[in-house]
Amino acid sequence: MQKNRSFNELNLNELQNNFFSKLKAMGRSQNTLKNYKTDLDCFNQYLIKNEGETDITNFGMPQVQHYGQYLEKKYSSDNSRRRRVQALRIFFDYLVEENLFESNPVRKLPTSPKFLDIPRPTPFIDVKTLWVSLLEEATSNNEMNALIARRNQIVMLLIYGAGLKVSDLSKLKTSNIFLESETPRVLISHPKRDPYTIALPKIFTQVFEEYILKLSDMKIKSSINFDELLFNANPYRILSGSLSPRGLEVIFEEYRKKLQITLTPKSLRQACIFKWLHQEHDETSIKEWMGVAPTYSLKLYKEHMNNYIYNENFLGELYKNYLSKA
């Protein structure tokens, strides 16, 4: 978008589409873009219902206050109101950056306090079910199917073992894995924070080495090379390095339907957080591994610890059991 263009040249729909394009270029996941669109659609509907049009040329403090009152009536959930305000604030920040607004009027609208949802982790029995399924699939006579299963084993270990988000996984390179010490670790880098490492289950080393060996062979057969740890493939060959956040979510959706289990990347990650607490890691370390601020509260996790008990022992035991059968 060119600087200093007037609202007469750009309608709200075009402004928002440009905003979404910028977020996509910044690497935001498809799920994040979908959430922003949902939140801004609420604002658009408000304008049409209360203003009769979507012109925001003169959108200022009075309109901001009216929108705040509209959200108070429309949503009983503090988190829902908070999300709508945050999305609109970020959108107007974008308009300020494009010199279409001198300042952001939405920054004067207070957000509702954030209330954390009760954790709903993947049940321990379902974690085991997933791991067994991945081990069985890795014994397939089809070379590509076996390799994809090994890739998915790595994904599971990085989420259940180290609490990684799909956004972290999609960017991960093979060089981010360190096996030198007795405990394997994964390096996480963020543009606004110092890099840090997270310990992985001991069995990760063996799973990783087997995966890299098979992956190297398939790279040669597919005439492709890449630095990313994960890959995208069809039934016959590797197509590219890395997997998008949405691609990772689809993998979990497929296993959830196939195995009839409670499973999302988020629920498996929450299981990892409970596992860390039962392993008696200190809160400071857990918050760093989660990638959250020191002020983040683990209160809800602690309150539900007795209901959700997890460990890592079964990972190595089952893996070695399947190796002995192979």
Side-chain angles (χ1 to χ4, degrees):
M1 185 189 295
Q2 298 176 354
K3 301 285 186 180
N4 301 318
R5 292 176 69 182
S6 70
F7 284 107
N8 292 328
E9 299 175 76
L10 292 168
N11 60 34
L12 183 60
N13 184 58
E14 186 177 352
L15 288 167
Q16 291 179 352
N17 284 338
N18 290 339
F19 170 63
F20 297 141
S21 295
K22 181 175 181 180
L23 291 177
K24 186 175 182 180
M26 293 169 62
R28 299 294 186 267
S29 72
Q30 196 61 39
N31 190 53
T32 298
L33 295 174
K34 178 184 175 183
N35 289 338
Y36 273 117
K37 188 177 188 309
T38 298
D39 294 336
L40 289 181
D41 279 347
C42 174
F43 175 63
N44 300 346
Q45 292 166 11
Y46 160 79
L47 290 175
I48 294 171
K49 181 178 180 180
N50 293 274
E51 307 292 334
E53 58 183 2
T54 58
D55 180 14
I56 58 171
T57 308
N58 298 311
F59 194 80
M61 196 57 205
Q63 290 79 12
V64 169
Q65 291 176 334
H66 289 157
Y67 183 55
Q69 293 166 2
Y70 170 81
L71 293 177
E72 289 287 337
K73 293 178 181 178
K74 185 174 177 64
Y75 298 104
S76 59
S77 166
D78 286 305
N79 282 347
S80 294
R81 292 193 293 268
R82 184 175 183 274
R83 273 185 47 196
R84 269 59 177 182
V85 172
Q86 283 185 328
L88 190 62
R89 178 183 292 136
I90 293 170
F91 173 58
F92 270 86
D93 279 341
Y94 163 76
L95 297 180
V96 172
E97 290 174 7
E98 295 295 327
N99 288 340
L100 293 170
F101 266 76
E102 291 185 3
S103 61
N104 185 343
V106 187
R107 289 202 165 272
K108 298 176 182 177
L109 183 65
T111 60
S112 299
K114 184 175 182 180
F115 292 97
L116 300 177
D117 290 332
I118 296 173
R120 293 178 175 83
T122 301
F124 189 41
I125 187 63
D126 289 352
V127 177
K128 283 187 173 182
T129 299
L130 174 62
W131 187 238
V132 169
S133 178
L134 294 176
L135 294 175
E136 290 176 345
E137 290 178 2
T139 64
S140 171
N141 292 326
N142 181 297
E143 193 175 14
M144 180 56 77
N145 288 343
L147 177 60
I148 289 173
R150 291 184 183 278
R151 178 202 67 188
N152 294 343
Q153 289 174 6
I154 294 291
V155 170
M156 177 179 171
L157 290 176
L158 287 167
I159 298 178
Y160 181 69
L164 266 61
K165 303 174 184 176
V166 291
S167 56
D168 293 326
L169 282 167
S170 66
K171 304 170 189 172
L172 213 59
K173 298 185 183 300
T174 304
S175 58
N176 290 114
I177 304 297
F178 296 93
L179 306 178
E180 289 81 3
S181 64
E182 184 179 339
T183 303
R185 304 187 74 85
V186 56
L187 174 68
I188 305 298
S189 298
H190 289 288
K192 296 183 180 180
R193 293 198 301 273
D194 292 335
Y196 55 93
T197 63
I198 308 174
L200 289 157
K202 290 184 178 180
I203 193 60
F204 183 87
T205 297
Q206 189 172 356
V207 177
F208 175 79
E209 289 175 344
E210 290 286 336
Y211 167 67
I212 292 299
L213 183 64
K214 302 292 185 183
L215 177 61
S216 298
D217 290 342
M218 192 58 73
K219 281 182 180 180
I220 294 172
K221 293 178 181 179
S222 300
S223 301
I224 191 172
N225 194 30
F226 49 85
D227 298 325
E228 287 84 3
L229 177 63
L230 307 179
F231 64 87
N232 181 31
N234 62 25
Y236 310 102
R237 66 187 297 272
I238 294 177
L239 302 174
S240 64
S242 82
L243 268 172
S244 68
R246 178 54 188 158
L248 286 158
E249 289 170 354
V250 168
I251 289 171
F252 278 81
E253 288 173 7
E254 291 173 349
Y255 279 111
R256 180 171 67 250
K257 293 175 183 176
K258 173 185 173 183
L259 302 174
Q260 294 294 298
I261 59 176
T262 301
L263 179 69
T264 65
K266 180 180 179 180
S267 68
L268 190 60
R269 186 169 184 258
Q270 289 182 339
C272 173
I273 295 167
F274 279 111
K275 173 175 63 72
W276 284 334
L277 287 170
H278 283 289
Q279 290 173 335
E280 298 183 348
H281 291 291
D282 63 90
E283 283 196 35
T284 301
S285 296
I286 292 175
K287 291 177 184 179
E288 180 184 51
W289 299 336
M290 291 174 65
V292 298
T295 54
Y296 182 91
S297 175
L298 292 172
K299 180 181 178 183
L300 288 177
Y301 284 92
K302 288 186 169 183
E303 288 178 351
H304 293 81
M305 274 182 64
N306 292 335
N307 298 325
Y308 301 111
I309 300 174
Y310 299 85
N311 64 65
E312 297 176 351
N313 300 335
F314 73 95
L315 296 168
E317 292 169 0
L318 290 173
Y319 187 82
K320 291 171 183 176
N321 183 45
Y322 270 83
L323 279 183
S324 66
K325 294 179 180 179

